[in-house]
Amino acid sequence: MTASLEQLRRCHFAVDLGAARTRVYVKGAGLVVDQPSAAAVNTRSGALIAVGELAERMTGRTPGYIRVVRPVSGGTVVDIEMAQRMLRHLLGDRIRRTLRRRPGLRAAACTPHDADPLAQRAAIETLVGLGARRVELVDTLIAAAVGCGLPVERPEATMIMVCGAATTQVAVLSLGSIVTAERMPVGGDAVDNAIVQHLRHQHELMLPSQSVRPLQLALSGNGLTPHGPESTEIHGRDVATGLARSVKVDTAAVRHAIQTPLTAVLDGIGKVLRGCPPDLVADLADRGIMMVGGSALLPGLDQMLRQATGMPVHIAERPDICAVQGLGAMIEGKIAPLVLDPLAT
């Protein structure tokens, strides 16, 4: 963790800028923003038309002069100005006025594990543009572990897996720090894209981009496990004619199609375990893996990890908001650090 708990206690609000959703926690008020990280822009005038849920619903349904943009990719701000404009509208005038009244406004933000200096700088500049005088950065893995209630400050191993839209991060934590971690450029979007490509090549069917998540259509019931339904009906558009069409899809073929992105996740878990001291691995055999992040709710993913690793796998109660809840607990002063006093000689 870049910032200390003492520094975080002085912060007034916390932001989790994700590729899929943006969440803002205000000290004393709780979670005030939980919206998609999307903004609709009029390309003729440069005016911002919509942000959040409304902009998300516009995706794929706009005329040529309206463009839906995503200023965050893989947990990194790629368009600072648009991210600032999006955040201003998501916060609203009332919350912004409340924050501006606080002298020496401080903010906390999540950053992906091993984020490069440019990515860190982009997160800082985004919040400085909102009026923050100082920005403290916290590793997403630490924030998510705190948010789901893992005892990260103890000398015991805890393993957390943050399943995002664009990336998946896995780490083993002990004594409030990361022992070993890996970040894989594979997330829920890659799994969805694998299903979309499978339906396009095998059934010549194009799915609507926003009407329903293709994953939820194709993997109902027990999802990735063989005990799920043998087939499911999918509605989409015929590639050749452009007309609406429905096809029966074999879910076993869909499970095979998404093995490639999920194999990368399993490889990352194996690499993290190989880099751990044996004592910590022994702890993990009992405690297992805690899954957080929006893509942790992928149907049957926890069962697949359980079979592949032989370890217990748990999903947090609210996996999608664990990171911002962890940041909120830190700025509210609810986390007590483990004090290691030097021994007298």
Side-chain angles (χ1 to χ4, degrees), residues 88-138:
R88 287 192 194 102
H89 282 79
L90 289 176
L91 285 170
D93 292 336
R94 185 175 62 85
I95 297 175
R96 290 203 338 260
R97 280 197 302 268
T98 302
L99 291 175
R100 280 199 298 264
R101 290 194 200 105
R102 302 186 178 181
L105 185 65
R106 292 189 177 212
C110 284
T111 55
H113 179 68
D114 281 346
D116 59 69
L118 286 177
Q120 294 179 0
R121 188 66 190 170
I124 292 172
E125 288 188 12
T126 299
L127 298 185
V128 167
L130 292 178
R133 299 293 181 88
R134 183 181 174 92
V135 179
E136 309 292 353
L137 299 181
V138 180

Side-chain angles (χ1 to χ4, degrees), residues 41-215:
V41 183
N42 186 326
T43 56
R44 294 173 181 170
S45 63
L48 200 61
I49 297 173
V51 295
E53 296 282 0
L54 182 55
E56 181 90 348
R57 291 200 300 270
M58 288 183 179
T59 304
R61 295 184 169 91
T62 60
Y65 67 91
I66 296 178
R67 188 164 58 99
V68 177
V69 297
R70 293 185 175 273
V72 185
S73 176
T76 301
V77 178
V78 293
D79 187 337
I80 295 175
E81 182 184 356
M82 187 55 64
Q84 290 174 348
R85 296 174 69 185
M86 180 185 74
L87 276 171
R88 287 192 194 102
H89 282 79
L90 289 176
L91 285 170
D93 292 336
R94 185 175 62 85
I95 297 175
R96 290 203 338 260
R97 280 197 302 268
T98 302
L99 291 175
R100 280 199 298 264
R101 290 194 200 105
R102 302 186 178 181
L105 185 65
R106 292 189 177 212
C110 284
T111 55
H113 179 68
D114 281 346
D116 59 69
L118 286 177
Q120 294 179 0
R121 188 66 190 170
I124 292 172
E125 288 188 12
T126 299
L127 298 185
V128 167
L130 292 178
R133 299 293 181 88
R134 183 181 174 92
V135 179
E136 309 292 353
L137 299 181
V138 180
D139 196 302
T140 302
L141 292 163
I142 297 285
V146 171
C148 64
L150 290 179
V152 295
E153 74 282 355
R154 297 180 188 171
E156 303 167 354
T158 53
M159 189 170 191
I160 188 160
M161 178 175 170
V162 180
C163 309
T167 61
T168 299
Q169 304 173 68
V170 184
V172 173
L173 312 174
S174 181
L175 286 173
S177 299
I178 296 173
V179 178
T180 178
E182 283 292 324
R183 178 162 60 133
M184 293 78 71
V186 175
D189 290 347
V191 175
D192 283 358
N193 185 60
I195 295 174
V196 169
Q197 293 303 318
H198 168 76
L199 294 175
R200 183 184 179 94
H201 295 312
Q202 298 299 321
H203 301 278
E204 297 184 345
L205 192 75
M206 291 181 65
L207 291 180
S209 60
Q210 289 299 316
S211 60
V212 282
R213 277 179 62 92
L215 184 61

